[in-house]
Amino acid sequence: MTLDSKIPDGPIEKKWTNHRFNMKLVNPSNRRKYSVIVVGTGLAGASAAASLAELGYKVISLSYHESPRRAHSIAAQGGINAPKNYANDGDSVYRLFYDTLKGGDYRAREANVYRLAEVSGSIIDQCVAQGVPFARDYAGYLDMRSFGGAQVSRTFYARGQTGQQLLLGAYSALSRQIGAGTVKFFDRREMMELVVVDGMARGIICRNLRTGVIESYVADAVVLATGGYANTFYLSTMAKASNATAIWRAYKKGALFANPCFTQIHPTCIPVSGDYQSKLTLMSESLRNDGRIWVPKKSGDSRTPSQIPEDERDYYLERLYPSFGNLVPRDVASRRAKEICDKGLGVGKTKMAVYLDFADAIKRNGKHWIEEKYGNLFDMYHEITAEDPYADPMRIYPAVHYTMGGLWVDYNLMSTIPGLFVIGEANFSDHGANRLGASALMQGLADGYFILPYTLSDYLAKTKFSSLVTNHSEFEKANKSVAERVEKLLAINGKQPVNEIHKKLGRVLWDFVGMGRNEQGLKKALKLIPEIREEFWNDVKVVGESDTLSLELEKAGRIADFLELAELLTFDALDRKESCGGHFREECQTPEGEALRNDKKYAYASAWEFTGDGKKPKLNKEPLTFEYVKPSERSYK
Ligand SMILES: Cc1cc2nc3c(=O)[nH]c(=O)nc-3n(C[C@H](O)[C@H](O)[C@H](O)COP(=O)(O)OP(=O)(O)OC[C@H]3O[C@@H](n4cnc5c(N)ncnc54)[C@H](O)[C@@H]3O)c2cc1C
């Protein structure tokens, strides 16, 4: 398949402006004639649905949650980036563009990243206008802090609850449209299938999770804003219900899946404490503004942290990366923490943790200052560990957190299926091989508020639509296949709980496709994953019925998809014989243990094409060219 990224011509700083002018518009009085389905009400979905409805389109918005406000975005803690340069510390659109491209280890498209940096300032204005209570300094100006991979302060925040406050803003905008009747919101609906008619995305099939009824929805275009797939790994920092079903179903209907192996492992999470754990908790990256990471210099040191004197501590990030220190990007900090623990220098009961210490910041600014900035995060840590992080350092370890991969989209955020748009974490567009902190919220809201409304309008204006009803044969076929799949899951009636099988998959992925990957391990994973899948389809026990609420049934369907996606993720990791960002191939590293890219062979986005169940997917490549930022070895020293 030839991949046309549709990047507009012209200098990078003019591309989006010119493109916006060249795109077709839909006359305001004609907009109500078009309908759009938006799946998902996280920051990407809620902002898109509200903006499209505000323009005048008829919008159908759906979520498997009972309220749009329950979307995973609400968990986001640390902040959102924008190069406002209020701190006068040298920030600019170009610097954010540069940092993001470099942070992603030169595996993202220049034009997309530049546009992201360009529109991000408007997000802050939009959210302030909505009443989002961003932190302010004493004079009343918006406050900012720093995140990894940047030497400026460009992260706007609302304590450790930025996602929640931004989502409340987007939710108010959405609610206004629901009240006005321009958005019809359907709660507790899980999209299980995409319907493609005459080669165009024209609808979806959902299961009503309360009643089990399989429902069909028709529209002129479909937008997936369904979030990331990090839960494939079982343990992650994501909301427990986050899953890949919507994008996976679209992939199996012809949308290409890009860079599935680019998963992000976040360095500062509360360490795993036991086998019964089903979820991991993030300690926001913002904490690295003031917390210092260290381990004892001596392995097996059993003294409490306060008993270990300064000269017997190794502040290893500050030692290895003097210019970025504790604020190196996530992939770098995670790998170093793993390496330190693998050497036996880890702390705590399991020895799989390092310290994140606030003693200096408390001494410098006082406990109250820390409480004001990070109070809710400290409370959360205390609730989970029963330890007091004001008195003793936090213990942290890397955990799976975010997925840079997702459905392939062109510059217009359209997938390889005409009429299927993909936004937010569900697409692959802007972060390359490693996302910098505070840039996912930026991307989701840029897509929803400022990019999709233009590009989707252009598509609607240029396309002729046949009128469709839900008894069209494609809808009936898709509806039947969803019902059969539900019955098939319930009929297995084996012995293993759904979670147990998911846990097995997670262990294989963490061990062989996790922070360090090598050819032998990846090949082993490719042998083990189909075996676990086989076990699932023969021996899983799904309790509940098809016509009532059944959390086990919901989970089973999602895990069936993870079991397929895990294999694609591994194929992709095996293909990419280089290290870049979150993808660390142990065979490819510099003598200092840094990621060693191979730009000659791998400067492409991999875009995988479904070729049939049980068949190896086909790899398509979108070459990445760099006109403005020359790829170099990524150094944070
Ligand atoms: C703990 C944590 C903290 C974070 N902190 C930050 C931060 O400080 N800054 C930052 O930039 N990023 C942060 N991130 C990342 C960021 O939160 C996410 O990338 C972002 O919120 C994703 O938004 P989204 O709208 O794309 O998807 P989501 O918020 O995941 O929303 C997905 C939506 O799709 C719906 N959905 C999914 N599948 C289906 C289906 N099949 N049928 C129907 N509905 C469906 C869900 O119900 C939900 O409404 C954090 C992530 C985590 C895990």
Side-chain angles (χ1 to χ4, degrees), residues 39-45 62-65 71-73 75-79 189-191 225-228 237-238 242-243 245-246 282 401-402 423-426 435 438-442:
V39 189
T41 60
L43 284 173
L62 309 101
S63 157
Y64 54 64
H65 291 106
H72 160 71
S73 288
Q77 299 174 348
R189 300 307 201 281
E190 178 145 23
M191 171 188 158
T226 50
T237 61
M238 289 199 82
S242 295
N243 69 83
T245 289
L282 174 77
H401 175 68
Y402 178 89
I423 58 175
E425 193 174 340
R435 173 176 72 82
S439 57
L441 303 185
M442 167 172 80

mmCIF file of all heavy atoms in Angstrom, residues 39-45 62-65 71-73 75-79 189-191 225-228 237-238 242-243 245-246 282 401-402 423-426 435 438-442, ligand 1:
data_model
loop_
_atom_site.group_PDB
_atom_site.id
_atom_site.type_symbol
_atom_site.label_atom_id
_atom_site.label_comp_id
_atom_site.label_asym_id
_atom_site.label_seq_id
_atom_site.Cartn_x
_atom_site.Cartn_y
_atom_site.Cartn_z
ATOM 1 N N VAL A 39 -16.244 8.429 18.894
ATOM 2 C CA VAL A 39 -16.181 7.390 19.929
ATOM 3 C C VAL A 39 -15.145 7.814 20.961
ATOM 4 O O VAL A 39 -13.968 8.002 20.638
ATOM 5 C CB VAL A 39 -15.784 6.019 19.330
ATOM 6 C CG1 VAL A 39 -15.941 4.925 20.395
ATOM 7 C CG2 VAL A 39 -16.609 5.701 18.107
ATOM 8 N N GLY A 40 -15.591 7.959 22.210
ATOM 9 C CA GLY A 40 -14.672 8.354 23.277
ATOM 10 C C GLY A 40 -14.914 9.782 23.721
ATOM 11 O O GLY A 40 -15.185 10.670 22.893
ATOM 12 N N THR A 41 -14.845 9.996 25.022
ATOM 13 C CA THR A 41 -15.076 11.337 25.567
ATOM 14 C C THR A 41 -13.943 11.758 26.492
ATOM 15 O O THR A 41 -14.147 12.478 27.460
ATOM 16 C CB THR A 41 -16.396 11.375 26.364
ATOM 17 O OG1 THR A 41 -16.265 10.418 27.423
ATOM 18 C CG2 THR A 41 -17.597 11.056 25.508
ATOM 19 N N GLY A 42 -12.729 11.245 26.221
ATOM 20 C CA GLY A 42 -11.557 11.761 26.917
ATOM 21 C C GLY A 42 -11.283 13.157 26.379
ATOM 22 O O GLY A 42 -12.126 13.759 25.683
ATOM 23 N N LEU A 43 -10.095 13.673 26.640
ATOM 24 C CA LEU A 43 -9.820 15.035 26.190
ATOM 25 C C LEU A 43 -9.945 15.164 24.684
ATOM 26 O O LEU A 43 -10.487 16.142 24.175
ATOM 27 C CB LEU A 43 -8.431 15.460 26.662
ATOM 28 C CG LEU A 43 -8.399 15.802 28.149
ATOM 29 C CD1 LEU A 43 -6.980 16.042 28.621
ATOM 30 C CD2 LEU A 43 -9.265 17.023 28.435
ATOM 31 N N ALA A 44 -9.462 14.154 23.955
ATOM 32 C CA ALA A 44 -9.527 14.237 22.490
ATOM 33 C C ALA A 44 -10.986 14.173 22.030
ATOM 34 O O ALA A 44 -11.446 15.030 21.264
ATOM 35 C CB ALA A 44 -8.707 13.114 21.867
ATOM 36 N N GLY A 45 -11.714 13.165 22.500
ATOM 37 C CA GLY A 45 -13.084 12.964 22.024
ATOM 38 C C GLY A 45 -14.033 14.066 22.456
ATOM 39 O O GLY A 45 -14.844 14.560 21.657
ATOM 40 N N LEU A 62 -20.137 8.660 22.000
ATOM 41 C CA LEU A 62 -20.343 7.431 22.780
ATOM 42 C C LEU A 62 -19.150 7.136 23.666
ATOM 43 O O LEU A 62 -18.014 7.470 23.329
ATOM 44 C CB LEU A 62 -20.517 6.207 21.865
ATOM 45 C CG LEU A 62 -21.532 6.278 20.755
ATOM 46 C CD1 LEU A 62 -20.850 6.556 19.451
ATOM 47 C CD2 LEU A 62 -22.307 5.005 20.688
ATOM 48 N N SER A 63 -19.460 6.446 24.758
ATOM 49 C CA SER A 63 -18.385 6.029 25.644
ATOM 50 C C SER A 63 -18.853 4.805 26.421
ATOM 51 O O SER A 63 -20.047 4.653 26.669
ATOM 52 C CB SER A 63 -18.061 7.160 26.619
ATOM 53 O OG SER A 63 -17.435 6.655 27.776
ATOM 54 N N TYR A 64 -17.894 3.955 26.789
ATOM 55 C CA TYR A 64 -18.329 2.817 27.605
ATOM 56 C C TYR A 64 -18.523 3.209 29.064
ATOM 57 O O TYR A 64 -18.984 2.434 29.872
ATOM 58 C CB TYR A 64 -17.397 1.607 27.474
ATOM 59 C CG TYR A 64 -15.938 1.849 27.753
ATOM 60 C CD1 TYR A 64 -15.487 2.227 29.004
ATOM 61 C CD2 TYR A 64 -15.003 1.674 26.731
ATOM 62 C CE1 TYR A 64 -14.144 2.443 29.245
ATOM 63 C CE2 TYR A 64 -13.653 1.891 26.968
ATOM 64 C CZ TYR A 64 -13.235 2.268 28.219
ATOM 65 O OH TYR A 64 -11.915 2.486 28.461
ATOM 66 N N HIS A 65 -18.154 4.458 29.392
ATOM 67 C CA HIS A 65 -18.406 4.930 30.753
ATOM 68 C C HIS A 65 -19.848 5.425 30.878
ATOM 69 O O HIS A 65 -20.502 5.685 29.877
ATOM 70 C CB HIS A 65 -17.460 6.086 31.091
ATOM 71 C CG HIS A 65 -16.043 5.659 31.234
ATOM 72 N ND1 HIS A 65 -15.087 5.925 30.283
ATOM 73 C CD2 HIS A 65 -15.420 4.972 32.210
ATOM 74 C CE1 HIS A 65 -13.923 5.415 30.676
ATOM 75 N NE2 HIS A 65 -14.101 4.828 31.840
ATOM 76 N N ALA A 71 -13.689 9.372 31.631
ATOM 77 C CA ALA A 71 -12.630 8.933 30.708
ATOM 78 C C ALA A 71 -11.270 8.939 31.406
ATOM 79 O O ALA A 71 -11.032 9.723 32.328
ATOM 80 C CB ALA A 71 -12.599 9.846 29.494
ATOM 81 N N HIS A 72 -10.384 8.085 30.927
ATOM 82 C CA HIS A 72 -9.052 7.952 31.501
ATOM 83 C C HIS A 72 -8.308 9.287 31.618
ATOM 84 O O HIS A 72 -7.513 9.484 32.547
ATOM 85 C CB HIS A 72 -8.268 6.955 30.645
ATOM 86 C CG HIS A 72 -6.792 7.056 30.784
ATOM 87 N ND1 HIS A 72 -6.134 6.665 31.906
ATOM 88 C CD2 HIS A 72 -5.862 7.541 29.945
ATOM 89 C CE1 HIS A 72 -4.849 6.887 31.757
ATOM 90 N NE2 HIS A 72 -4.654 7.426 30.574
ATOM 91 N N SER A 73 -8.585 10.226 30.711
ATOM 92 C CA SER A 73 -7.890 11.537 30.742
ATOM 93 C C SER A 73 -7.969 12.192 32.117
ATOM 94 O O SER A 73 -7.113 13.002 32.484
ATOM 95 C CB SER A 73 -8.525 12.511 29.742
ATOM 96 O OG SER A 73 -8.224 12.155 28.427
ATOM 97 N N ALA A 75 -7.274 11.083 34.788
ATOM 98 C CA ALA A 75 -6.179 10.660 35.668
ATOM 99 C C ALA A 75 -4.908 11.482 35.467
ATOM 100 O O ALA A 75 -3.994 11.414 36.282
ATOM 101 C CB ALA A 75 -5.860 9.187 35.417
ATOM 102 N N ALA A 76 -4.853 12.246 34.373
ATOM 103 C CA ALA A 76 -3.597 12.933 34.069
ATOM 104 C C ALA A 76 -3.253 13.913 35.184
ATOM 105 O O ALA A 76 -4.103 14.648 35.675
ATOM 106 C CB ALA A 76 -3.711 13.657 32.735
ATOM 107 N N GLN A 77 -2.007 13.899 35.557
ATOM 108 C CA GLN A 77 -1.630 14.619 36.768
ATOM 109 C C GLN A 77 -0.868 15.912 36.485
ATOM 110 O O GLN A 77 -1.264 17.010 36.856
ATOM 111 C CB GLN A 77 -0.740 13.693 37.620
ATOM 112 C CG GLN A 77 -1.442 12.409 38.039
ATOM 113 C CD GLN A 77 -0.505 11.429 38.747
ATOM 114 O OE1 GLN A 77 0.708 11.587 38.746
ATOM 115 N NE2 GLN A 77 -1.080 10.401 39.343
ATOM 116 N N GLY A 78 0.272 15.748 35.800
ATOM 117 C CA GLY A 78 1.317 16.772 35.886
ATOM 118 C C GLY A 78 1.111 18.049 35.141
ATOM 119 O O GLY A 78 1.455 19.125 35.627
ATOM 120 N N GLY A 79 0.549 18.002 33.914
ATOM 121 C CA GLY A 79 0.403 19.266 33.214
ATOM 122 C C GLY A 79 0.308 19.139 31.712
ATOM 123 O O GLY A 79 0.263 18.037 31.154
ATOM 124 N N ARG A 189 -21.875 2.446 26.023
ATOM 125 C CA ARG A 189 -21.885 1.792 24.714
ATOM 126 C C ARG A 189 -20.447 1.459 24.373
ATOM 127 O O ARG A 189 -19.593 2.350 24.399
ATOM 128 C CB ARG A 189 -22.445 2.703 23.621
ATOM 129 C CG ARG A 189 -23.857 3.182 23.825
ATOM 130 C CD ARG A 189 -24.813 2.048 24.074
ATOM 131 N NE ARG A 189 -26.194 2.363 23.803
ATOM 132 C CZ ARG A 189 -27.005 3.047 24.613
ATOM 133 N NH1 ARG A 189 -26.560 3.544 25.744
ATOM 134 N NH2 ARG A 189 -28.270 3.237 24.286
ATOM 135 N N GLU A 190 -20.192 0.211 24.052
ATOM 136 C CA GLU A 190 -18.839 -0.161 23.650
ATOM 137 C C GLU A 190 -18.812 -0.441 22.160
ATOM 138 O O GLU A 190 -19.533 -1.316 21.665
ATOM 139 C CB GLU A 190 -18.373 -1.411 24.432
ATOM 140 C CG GLU A 190 -16.993 -1.863 24.001
ATOM 141 C CD GLU A 190 -16.174 -2.434 25.149
ATOM 142 O OE1 GLU A 190 -16.761 -2.884 26.142
ATOM 143 O OE2 GLU A 190 -14.933 -2.430 25.025
ATOM 144 N N MET A 191 -17.972 0.319 21.454
ATOM 145 C CA MET A 191 -17.841 0.064 20.020
ATOM 146 C C MET A 191 -17.138 -1.265 19.824
ATOM 147 O O MET A 191 -16.052 -1.485 20.325
ATOM 148 C CB MET A 191 -17.025 1.175 19.364
ATOM 149 C CG MET A 191 -16.682 0.857 17.934
ATOM 150 S SD MET A 191 -15.541 2.036 17.237
ATOM 151 C CE MET A 191 -14.856 1.071 15.895
ATOM 152 N N ALA A 225 -11.551 8.243 19.235
ATOM 153 C CA ALA A 225 -10.770 8.978 20.244
ATOM 154 C C ALA A 225 -10.721 8.079 21.473
ATOM 155 O O ALA A 225 -11.096 8.467 22.570
ATOM 156 C CB ALA A 225 -11.445 10.305 20.556
ATOM 157 N N THR A 226 -10.268 6.861 21.241
ATOM 158 C CA THR A 226 -10.493 5.796 22.224
ATOM 159 C C THR A 226 -9.277 5.493 23.092
ATOM 160 O O THR A 226 -9.273 4.496 23.819
ATOM 161 C CB THR A 226 -10.960 4.521 21.496
ATOM 162 O OG1 THR A 226 -10.061 4.261 20.413
ATOM 163 C CG2 THR A 226 -12.362 4.692 20.956
ATOM 164 N N GLY A 227 -8.255 6.343 23.035
ATOM 165 C CA GLY A 227 -7.137 6.220 23.973
ATOM 166 C C GLY A 227 -6.133 5.146 23.593
ATOM 167 O O GLY A 227 -6.167 4.581 22.490
ATOM 168 N N GLY A 228 -5.214 4.878 24.525
ATOM 169 C CA GLY A 228 -4.068 4.008 24.232
ATOM 170 C C GLY A 228 -4.270 2.563 24.665
ATOM 171 O O GLY A 228 -5.289 2.212 25.260
ATOM 172 N N THR A 237 -0.139 2.036 34.275
ATOM 173 C CA THR A 237 -0.693 3.153 35.050
ATOM 174 C C THR A 237 -2.031 3.600 34.475
ATOM 175 O O THR A 237 -2.646 4.536 34.973
ATOM 176 C CB THR A 237 0.258 4.365 35.019
ATOM 177 O OG1 THR A 237 0.397 4.767 33.653
ATOM 178 C CG2 THR A 237 1.610 4.033 35.605
ATOM 179 N N MET A 238 -2.478 2.962 33.422
ATOM 180 C CA MET A 238 -3.716 3.410 32.774
ATOM 181 C C MET A 238 -4.939 2.995 33.565
ATOM 182 O O MET A 238 -4.882 2.062 34.371
ATOM 183 C CB MET A 238 -3.812 2.803 31.383
ATOM 184 C CG MET A 238 -2.822 3.388 30.433
ATOM 185 S SD MET A 238 -3.287 3.090 28.742
ATOM 186 C CE MET A 238 -4.459 4.373 28.434
ATOM 187 N N SER A 242 -9.229 0.901 30.191
ATOM 188 C CA SER A 242 -8.698 1.339 28.890
ATOM 189 C C SER A 242 -8.333 0.115 28.060
ATOM 190 O O SER A 242 -7.759 -0.843 28.575
ATOM 191 C CB SER A 242 -7.447 2.209 29.087
ATOM 192 O OG SER A 242 -7.779 3.391 29.745
ATOM 193 N N ASN A 243 -8.660 0.152 26.793
ATOM 194 C CA ASN A 243 -8.419 -1.044 25.969
ATOM 195 C C ASN A 243 -8.246 -0.655 24.511
ATOM 196 O O ASN A 243 -8.328 0.519 24.156
ATOM 197 C CB ASN A 243 -9.572 -2.029 26.147
ATOM 198 C CG ASN A 243 -10.849 -1.522 25.549
ATOM 199 O OD1 ASN A 243 -11.072 -1.651 24.353
ATOM 200 N ND2 ASN A 243 -11.690 -0.875 26.366
ATOM 201 N N THR A 245 -9.886 -2.259 21.819
ATOM 202 C CA THR A 245 -10.865 -2.884 20.934
ATOM 203 C C THR A 245 -11.246 -2.014 19.730
ATOM 204 O O THR A 245 -11.269 -2.504 18.598
ATOM 205 C CB THR A 245 -12.101 -3.309 21.754
ATOM 206 O OG1 THR A 245 -11.692 -4.420 22.559
ATOM 207 C CG2 THR A 245 -13.265 -3.731 20.876
ATOM 208 N N ALA A 246 -11.521 -0.737 19.963
ATOM 209 C CA ALA A 246 -11.993 0.091 18.848
ATOM 210 C C ALA A 246 -10.937 0.175 17.741
ATOM 211 O O ALA A 246 -11.231 -0.054 16.561
ATOM 212 C CB ALA A 246 -12.351 1.485 19.352
ATOM 213 N N LEU A 282 0.954 5.998 38.973
ATOM 214 C CA LEU A 282 1.976 6.956 38.556
ATOM 215 C C LEU A 282 2.239 7.976 39.654
ATOM 216 O O LEU A 282 1.326 8.414 40.334
ATOM 217 C CB LEU A 282 1.469 7.705 37.319
ATOM 218 C CG LEU A 282 2.365 8.845 36.838
ATOM 219 C CD1 LEU A 282 3.557 8.298 36.095
ATOM 220 C CD2 LEU A 282 1.595 9.813 35.974
ATOM 221 N N HIS A 401 3.068 2.894 30.696
ATOM 222 C CA HIS A 401 2.305 4.107 30.972
ATOM 223 C C HIS A 401 1.519 4.654 29.778
ATOM 224 O O HIS A 401 0.431 5.182 29.924
ATOM 225 C CB HIS A 401 3.304 5.168 31.445
ATOM 226 C CG HIS A 401 2.725 6.516 31.667
ATOM 227 N ND1 HIS A 401 1.844 6.777 32.686
ATOM 228 C CD2 HIS A 401 2.895 7.702 31.013
ATOM 229 C CE1 HIS A 401 1.501 8.059 32.659
ATOM 230 N NE2 HIS A 401 2.115 8.633 31.647
ATOM 231 N N TYR A 402 2.073 4.532 28.573
ATOM 232 C CA TYR A 402 1.485 5.262 27.443
ATOM 233 C C TYR A 402 1.904 4.555 26.157
ATOM 234 O O TYR A 402 2.954 3.903 26.122
ATOM 235 C CB TYR A 402 2.043 6.701 27.460
ATOM 236 C CG TYR A 402 1.568 7.566 26.319
ATOM 237 C CD1 TYR A 402 0.399 8.306 26.434
ATOM 238 C CD2 TYR A 402 2.289 7.637 25.125
ATOM 239 C CE1 TYR A 402 -0.038 9.106 25.384
ATOM 240 C CE2 TYR A 402 1.858 8.432 24.077
ATOM 241 C CZ TYR A 402 0.694 9.176 24.218
ATOM 242 O OH TYR A 402 0.261 9.967 23.186
ATOM 243 N N ILE A 423 -7.891 10.333 16.649
ATOM 244 C CA ILE A 423 -7.278 11.463 17.361
ATOM 245 C C ILE A 423 -6.832 11.050 18.764
ATOM 246 O O ILE A 423 -7.238 10.010 19.281
ATOM 247 C CB ILE A 423 -8.252 12.663 17.437
ATOM 248 C CG1 ILE A 423 -9.556 12.270 18.138
ATOM 249 C CG2 ILE A 423 -8.555 13.211 16.062
ATOM 250 C CD1 ILE A 423 -10.520 13.439 18.360
ATOM 251 N N GLY A 424 -5.995 11.894 19.365
ATOM 252 C CA GLY A 424 -5.529 11.631 20.734
ATOM 253 C C GLY A 424 -4.590 10.433 20.774
ATOM 254 O O GLY A 424 -3.915 10.101 19.792
ATOM 255 N N GLU A 425 -4.561 9.778 21.920
ATOM 256 C CA GLU A 425 -3.598 8.689 22.109
ATOM 257 C C GLU A 425 -3.851 7.519 21.155
ATOM 258 O O GLU A 425 -2.966 6.693 20.921
ATOM 259 C CB GLU A 425 -3.634 8.224 23.578
ATOM 260 C CG GLU A 425 -2.469 7.327 23.920
ATOM 261 C CD GLU A 425 -2.373 6.957 25.398
ATOM 262 O OE1 GLU A 425 -2.962 7.653 26.239
ATOM 263 O OE2 GLU A 425 -1.696 5.955 25.698
ATOM 264 N N ALA A 426 -5.052 7.444 20.599
ATOM 265 C CA ALA A 426 -5.384 6.322 19.712
ATOM 266 C C ALA A 426 -4.623 6.373 18.389
ATOM 267 O O ALA A 426 -4.510 5.358 17.704
ATOM 268 C CB ALA A 426 -6.886 6.299 19.447
ATOM 269 N N ARG A 435 7.320 9.770 24.041
ATOM 270 C CA ARG A 435 6.575 11.014 24.263
ATOM 271 C C ARG A 435 7.178 11.782 25.424
ATOM 272 O O ARG A 435 7.489 11.192 26.461
ATOM 273 C CB ARG A 435 5.114 10.701 24.572
ATOM 274 C CG ARG A 435 4.322 11.925 24.979
ATOM 275 C CD ARG A 435 2.875 11.626 25.184
ATOM 276 N NE ARG A 435 2.593 10.862 26.369
ATOM 277 C CZ ARG A 435 2.483 11.356 27.602
ATOM 278 N NH1 ARG A 435 2.691 12.648 27.805
ATOM 279 N NH2 ARG A 435 2.175 10.577 28.616
ATOM 280 N N ALA A 438 3.762 15.757 29.566
ATOM 281 C CA ALA A 438 2.838 16.884 29.400
ATOM 282 C C ALA A 438 2.496 17.181 27.940
ATOM 283 O O ALA A 438 1.940 18.227 27.631
ATOM 284 C CB ALA A 438 3.355 18.151 30.090
ATOM 285 N N SER A 439 2.843 16.266 27.038
ATOM 286 C CA SER A 439 2.511 16.542 25.644
ATOM 287 C C SER A 439 1.390 15.664 25.115
ATOM 288 O O SER A 439 0.982 15.832 23.968
ATOM 289 C CB SER A 439 3.757 16.419 24.770
ATOM 290 O OG SER A 439 4.303 15.158 24.923
ATOM 291 N N ALA A 440 0.849 14.744 25.947
ATOM 292 C CA ALA A 440 -0.293 13.954 25.479
ATOM 293 C C ALA A 440 -1.566 14.781 25.595
ATOM 294 O O ALA A 440 -2.413 14.777 24.697
ATOM 295 C CB ALA A 440 -0.436 12.684 26.299
ATOM 296 N N LEU A 441 -1.688 15.524 26.686
ATOM 297 C CA LEU A 441 -2.874 16.377 26.850
ATOM 298 C C LEU A 441 -2.868 17.429 25.750
ATOM 299 O O LEU A 441 -3.894 17.740 25.145
ATOM 300 C CB LEU A 441 -2.861 17.032 28.229
ATOM 301 C CG LEU A 441 -2.803 16.074 29.434
ATOM 302 C CD1 LEU A 441 -2.924 16.857 30.738
ATOM 303 C CD2 LEU A 441 -3.894 15.020 29.365
ATOM 304 N N MET A 442 -1.664 17.943 25.487
ATOM 305 C CA MET A 442 -1.508 18.941 24.426
ATOM 306 C C MET A 442 -1.985 18.357 23.087
ATOM 307 O O MET A 442 -2.745 18.987 22.353
ATOM 308 C CB MET A 442 -0.023 19.335 24.381
ATOM 309 C CG MET A 442 0.412 20.114 23.190
ATOM 310 S SD MET A 442 2.117 20.711 23.357
ATOM 311 C CE MET A 442 3.101 19.293 22.939
HETATM 312 C C1 LIG B 1 -1.697 8.245 35.437
HETATM 313 C C2 LIG B 1 -1.502 9.044 34.194
HETATM 314 C C3 LIG B 1 -1.127 10.376 34.270
HETATM 315 C C4 LIG B 1 -0.925 11.121 33.126
HETATM 316 N N1 LIG B 1 -0.550 12.432 33.233
HETATM 317 C C5 LIG B 1 -0.365 13.165 32.108
HETATM 318 C C6 LIG B 1 0.018 14.534 32.190
HETATM 319 O O1 LIG B 1 0.185 15.082 33.269
HETATM 320 N N2 LIG B 1 0.195 15.205 31.028
HETATM 321 C C7 LIG B 1 0.020 14.639 29.803
HETATM 322 O O2 LIG B 1 0.187 15.309 28.796
HETATM 323 N N3 LIG B 1 -0.365 13.343 29.713
HETATM 324 C C8 LIG B 1 -0.572 12.594 30.814
HETATM 325 N N4 LIG B 1 -0.951 11.289 30.705
HETATM 326 C C9 LIG B 1 -1.351 10.758 29.391
HETATM 327 C C10 LIG B 1 -2.764 11.266 29.043
HETATM 328 O O3 LIG B 1 -3.560 11.252 30.202
HETATM 329 C C11 LIG B 1 -3.457 10.442 27.978
HETATM 330 O O4 LIG B 1 -2.602 10.178 26.911
HETATM 331 C C12 LIG B 1 -4.668 11.191 27.438
HETATM 332 O O5 LIG B 1 -5.494 11.625 28.492
HETATM 333 C C13 LIG B 1 -5.458 10.335 26.472
HETATM 334 O O6 LIG B 1 -6.607 11.042 26.109
HETATM 335 P P1 LIG B 1 -7.569 10.469 24.986
HETATM 336 O O7 LIG B 1 -8.709 11.427 24.885
HETATM 337 O O8 LIG B 1 -6.804 10.166 23.753
HETATM 338 O O9 LIG B 1 -8.083 9.055 25.559
HETATM 339 P P2 LIG B 1 -8.788 8.644 26.939
HETATM 340 O O10 LIG B 1 -8.794 9.715 27.942
HETATM 341 O O11 LIG B 1 -8.186 7.331 27.287
HETATM 342 O O12 LIG B 1 -10.291 8.422 26.537
HETATM 343 C C14 LIG B 1 -10.723 7.312 25.818
HETATM 344 C C15 LIG B 1 -12.237 7.386 25.692
HETATM 345 O O13 LIG B 1 -12.661 6.419 24.766
HETATM 346 C C16 LIG B 1 -13.712 5.640 25.304
HETATM 347 N N5 LIG B 1 -13.586 4.330 24.661
HETATM 348 C C17 LIG B 1 -12.475 3.590 24.470
HETATM 349 N N6 LIG B 1 -12.754 2.482 23.774
HETATM 350 C C18 LIG B 1 -14.080 2.530 23.518
HETATM 351 C C19 LIG B 1 -14.958 1.664 22.833
HETATM 352 N N7 LIG B 1 -14.549 0.549 22.260
HETATM 353 N N8 LIG B 1 -16.256 2.005 22.790
HETATM 354 C C20 LIG B 1 -16.716 3.158 23.379
HETATM 355 N N9 LIG B 1 -15.916 4.020 24.016
HETATM 356 C C21 LIG B 1 -14.619 3.697 24.075
HETATM 357 C C22 LIG B 1 -13.507 5.676 26.804
HETATM 358 O O14 LIG B 1 -14.723 5.432 27.452
HETATM 359 C C23 LIG B 1 -13.014 7.105 26.967
HETATM 360 O O15 LIG B 1 -14.135 7.955 27.000
HETATM 361 C C24 LIG B 1 -1.113 10.526 31.860
HETATM 362 C C25 LIG B 1 -1.461 9.184 31.784
HETATM 363 C C26 LIG B 1 -1.636 8.435 32.924
HETATM 364 C C27 LIG B 1 -1.939 6.979 32.795
#
